[in-house]
């Protein structure tokens, strides 16, 4: 794999590159960042300065693994209610993923309007009604495939093939860290396991390795794997561990001095140094025991519950999602740049993800209510602390589900149209951009759908980055998060 330093006989440093390409503007912006945000020196040397004044500094990405049904949660379709049970007629040939072309199926739950905007929401996500006027919905998003692994990669990395950096990795690389003691990109997976592709969704790929997502399991006995030494017996003490780390640091620096200009070595050293700092910072950041009971209750956390039913249930989903969302708020407060929260694991039976081929009510119900309870608390909590204006929240899934029934109670995959919503840092609340057709099958305006590239471009824009300029040359190609596509959806911006 070629790294940026191997691409030419002499590679410009990022400071030189910004100065050359921006006629000095890049260095001025970098200086401003160093002053206003107190960026860690090593991280800021790696990252780039924003290319315009940012509206947001941090990002939370909420990923519903398995393909959440837009028409049962957010995209109200009266035509499906009117024609429920009738033979589905799409007016064109339809390629289903499995056999999901049964009769039209109305939304599983009733919808009603919320907020001053009157946005129609399903009763299963009713807790989001308290903050719907801060949210902007995009109902005409289209994918490229009905395959979970590829659809997930497209939303998470901008490509439907593995080998590309996660969006959090791009943000970390582009802006550097806000914290000396915590990673810039943190991943909070589903407690039952990874979604499709696992770590490929948040890998740094050809970016320096310190920009990969750091996996944390809030509430677990070991939230961060291998952060502490495995103490077999009594030979490892705090003093001996500190001495070992000091020796390792000196040896690393001596070795680095003999191999200057190798970003792989530098990345590895930074990762080890960050891990040592995290041993002190992470336990405090992940400890929610001191949070007021009213806050934990707001997130749906039930500290007293130790045993849950074997079947999937709303209270347990709210507790698990609530712990991740509250941890996300604490990480944001401490300078983590990008937090990715996952709901749902990879395929399995009984379903513990959003892939509701068999029974939407059974599978979506607990997941949706638990998500809505926890996420609404996160939005309201950030808002009351004055953090929402600097934090961009993005809710997504790999694709949607069909308006026709599969097996009577389920829905098949629908990559032709689905929903994202955004909230916070620079987003105009209470708006809907882009509509789906009367069935929720495809965009109403098929010639002008919204693509994931547009969502990614908008996110980078709000962070102060031009998505066409944040590039890295890899295998002879200038790669970027948005590939060769994307435009900023300005209708979503304040």
């Amino acid at each position: 794999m070629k790294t940026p330093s191997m691409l030419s006989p002499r590679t410009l440093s990022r400071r030189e590159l910004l100065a050359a390409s921006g006629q000095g503007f890049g260095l001025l912006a970098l200086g401003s960042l160093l002053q206003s945000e107190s960026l860690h020196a090593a991280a800021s040397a790696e990252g780039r300065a924003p290319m315009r004044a940012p509206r947001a500094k941090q990002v939370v990405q909420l990923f519903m693994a398995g393909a959440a049904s837009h028409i049962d949660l957010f995209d109200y379709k009266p035509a499906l209610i009117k024609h429920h049970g009738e033979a589905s007629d799409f007016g064109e040939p339809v390629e289903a993923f499995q056999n999901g072309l049964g009769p039209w199926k109305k939304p599983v739950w009733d919808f009603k309007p919320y907020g001053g905007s009157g946005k129609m929401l399903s009763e299963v996500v009713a807790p989001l009604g308290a903050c719907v006027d801060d949210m902007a919905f995009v109902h005409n998003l289209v994918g490229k495939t009905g395959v979970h692994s590829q659809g997930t990669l497209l939303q998470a990395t901008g490509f439907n093939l593995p080998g590309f950096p996660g969006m959090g990795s791009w943000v970390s690389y582009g802006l550097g860290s806000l914290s000396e003691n915590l990673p810039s990109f943190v991943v909070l997976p589903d407690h039952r396991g990874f979604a499709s592709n696992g770590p490929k969704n948040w890998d740094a790929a050809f970016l320096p390795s310190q920009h990969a997502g750091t996996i944390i399991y809030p509430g677990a006995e070991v939230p961060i794997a291998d952060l502490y030494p495995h103490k077999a017996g009594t030979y490892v003490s705090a003093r001996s561990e500190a001495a070992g780390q000091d020796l390792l640091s000196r040896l690393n620096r001596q070795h680095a001095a003999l191999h200057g200009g190798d970003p792989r070595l530098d990345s590895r050293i930074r990762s080890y140094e960050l891990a040592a700092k995290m041993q002190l910072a992470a336990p405090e950041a992940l400890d929610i025991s001191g949070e007021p009971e009213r806050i934990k209750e707001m997130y749906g956390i039930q500290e007293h519950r130790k045993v849950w039913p074997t079947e999937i249930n709303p209270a347990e989903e709210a507790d698990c999602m609530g712990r991740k969302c509250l941890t996300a708020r604490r990480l944001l407060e401490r300078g983590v740049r990008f937090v990715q929260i996952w709901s749902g694991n990879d395929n399995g039976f009984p379903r513990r993800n959003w892939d509701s081929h068999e029974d939407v009510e059974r599978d979506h119900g607990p997941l949706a209510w638990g998500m809505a309870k926890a996420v609404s608390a996160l939005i309201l909590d950030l808002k009351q602390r004055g953090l929402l204006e600097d934090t961009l929240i993005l809710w997504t899934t790999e694709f949607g589900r069909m308006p026709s029934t599969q097996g009577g109670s389920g829905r098949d995959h629908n990559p032709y149209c689905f929903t994202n919503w955004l909230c916070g840092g620079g987003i105009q609340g209470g708006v809907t951009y882009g509509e789906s057709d009367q069935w929720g099958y495809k965009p109403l305006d098929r010639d002008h759908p919204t693509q994931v590239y547009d969502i990614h471009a908008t996110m980078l824009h709000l962070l102060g980055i031009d998505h066409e300029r944040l590039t890295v040359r890899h295998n002879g190609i200038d790669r970027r998060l948005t590939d060769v596509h994307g435009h900023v959806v300005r209708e979503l911006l304040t």
Side-chain angles (χ1 to χ4, degrees):
M1 180 181 75
K2 289 185 178 181
T3 61
S5 67
M6 301 176 182
L7 299 176
S8 63
R10 181 183 183 277
T11 302
L12 290 175
S13 71
R14 287 191 176 81
R15 291 175 183 265
E16 292 173 322
L17 179 61
L18 284 167
S21 61
Q23 296 179 334
F25 173 77
L27 285 174
L28 291 173
L30 177 59
S32 174
L33 268 181
L34 289 169
Q35 212 170 27
S36 64
E37 298 182 12
S38 302
L39 291 177
H40 186 211
S44 62
E46 178 62 51
R48 302 172 183 227
M51 299 168 186
R52 60 174 60 83
R55 298 294 309 276
K57 296 178 182 178
Q58 296 165 285
V59 178
V60 177
Q61 184 188 25
L62 303 159
F63 204 113
M64 308 300 110
S69 175
H70 55 300
I71 50 185
D72 290 302
L73 303 180
F74 303 121
D75 196 3
Y76 179 56
K77 293 300 166 189
L80 289 179
I81 300 174
K82 181 179 179 180
H83 297 283
H84 175 70
E86 297 178 11
S88 57
D89 181 6
F90 291 85
E92 61 185 281
V94 178
E95 182 180 349
F97 182 73
Q98 292 183 354
N99 59 345
L101 296 180
W104 296 126
K105 181 177 176 61
K106 69 179 181 180
V108 172
W109 296 277
D110 292 334
F111 278 66
K112 72 176 187 179
Y114 289 87
S117 61
K119 174 63 181 175
M120 298 291 285
L121 295 179
S122 167
E123 64 183 11
V124 79
V125 293
L128 288 171
C131 41
V132 73
D133 287 338
D134 292 311
M135 301 160 65
F137 291 84
V138 181
H139 291 314
N140 67 341
L141 204 72
V142 298
K144 292 186 172 183
T145 173
V147 178
H148 287 294
S149 57
Q150 292 179 325
T152 300
L153 282 173
L154 183 64
Q155 300 301 312
T157 73
F159 293 82
N160 62 6
L161 296 174
F164 294 90
M167 59 189 296
S169 299
W170 278 110
V171 171
S172 172
Y173 174 79
L175 293 178
S177 178
L178 287 165
S179 170
E180 293 186 10
N181 303 317
L182 291 169
S184 56
F185 178 20
V186 167
V187 178
L188 308 178
D190 192 279
H191 61 288
R192 290 161 288 226
F194 292 152
S196 293
N197 314 307
K200 294 184 182 69
N201 295 312
W202 53 82
D203 187 51
F206 47 78
L207 297 180
S209 60
Q210 73 264 26
H211 299 296
T214 297
I215 301 170
I216 296 177
Y217 288 96
E221 184 177 352
V222 182
I224 307 174
D226 301 321
L227 183 61
Y228 300 100
H230 300 281
K231 297 185 178 181
T234 59
Y235 64 90
V236 177
S237 66
R239 182 177 178 181
S240 66
E241 184 185 350
Q245 289 177 357
D246 180 63
L247 175 61
L248 180 63
S249 177
R250 285 187 281 116
L251 291 174
N252 281 339
R253 290 302 169 190
Q254 290 174 11
H255 186 66
L258 298 174
H259 299 81
D262 187 342
R264 297 169 299 178
L265 177 60
D266 190 49
S267 294
R268 186 169 299 177
I269 291 174
R270 291 188 194 179
S271 296
Y272 282 126
E273 290 178 343
L274 177 60
K277 294 177 181 178
M278 284 175 62
Q279 289 183 341
L280 298 176
E284 186 276 334
L286 301 179
D287 183 8
I288 67 169
S289 62
E291 292 283 344
E293 288 302 315
R294 61 178 179 80
I295 293 294
K296 287 185 276 191
E297 181 179 342
M298 181 172 73
Y299 279 90
I301 298 169
Q302 300 184 40
E303 291 273 56
H304 62 283
R305 290 288 297 268
K306 304 301 180 184
V307 179
W308 297 95
T310 55
E311 65 273 10
I312 190 169
N313 63 89
E316 183 180 6
E317 294 306 312
D319 180 88
C320 294
M321 193 67 170
R323 291 176 188 275
K324 287 183 282 191
C325 286
L326 180 53
T327 298
R329 190 217 80 201
R330 293 176 61 85
L331 292 172
L332 292 168
E333 287 178 313
R334 289 155 179 79
V336 172
R337 178 77 73 176
F338 195 106
V339 182
Q340 189 177 66
I341 300 176
W342 292 82
S343 170
N345 63 346
D346 206 354
N347 283 332
F349 295 94
R351 294 287 184 190
R352 293 296 182 266
N353 58 24
W354 298 79
D355 194 20
S356 298
H357 288 280
E358 302 84 20
D359 192 330
V360 174
E361 184 173 9
R362 179 196 68 191
D363 302 333
H364 268 47
L367 287 169
W369 193 89
M371 177 276 297
K373 172 74 173 174
V375 171
S376 64
L378 174 61
I379 295 172
L380 295 172
D381 202 6
L382 290 173
K383 190 172 184 178
Q384 72 182 4
R385 294 167 186 270
L387 297 173
L388 186 61
E389 62 187 25
D390 290 329
T391 304
L392 175 65
I393 299 175
L394 165 62
W395 185 98
T396 190
T397 188
E398 60 259 50
F399 38 74
R401 307 207 76 87
M402 293 293 283
S404 50
T405 185
Q406 181 176 7
S409 299
R411 296 190 191 274
D412 204 350
H413 299 179
N414 180 10
Y416 311 112
C417 193
F418 60 108
T419 291
N420 275 190
W421 59 257
L422 303 94
C423 178
I427 291 294
Q428 183 179 177
V431 303
T432 295
Y433 170 81
E435 296 181 37
S436 58
D437 62 23
Q438 64 174 335
W439 310 115
Y441 168 57
K442 285 188 176 180
L444 182 62
D445 183 353
R446 297 190 179 189
D447 293 329
H448 300 92
T450 302
Q451 300 185 71
V452 64
Y453 312 111
D454 304 326
I455 299 296
H456 288 169
T458 303
M459 174 198 71
L460 291 177
H461 174 84
L462 289 170
L463 290 168
I465 298 173
D466 183 338
H467 71 102
E468 294 183 346
R469 293 176 60 192
L470 181 60
T471 65
V472 167
R473 177 151 289 223
H474 176 64
N475 288 341
I477 301 174
D478 289 330
R479 292 297 193 184
R480 67 184 205 226
L481 175 61
T482 52
D483 195 11
V484 295
H485 312 285
H487 72 275
V488 176
V489 186
R490 298 190 181 276
E491 291 84 350
L492 298 175
L493 311 182
T494 54

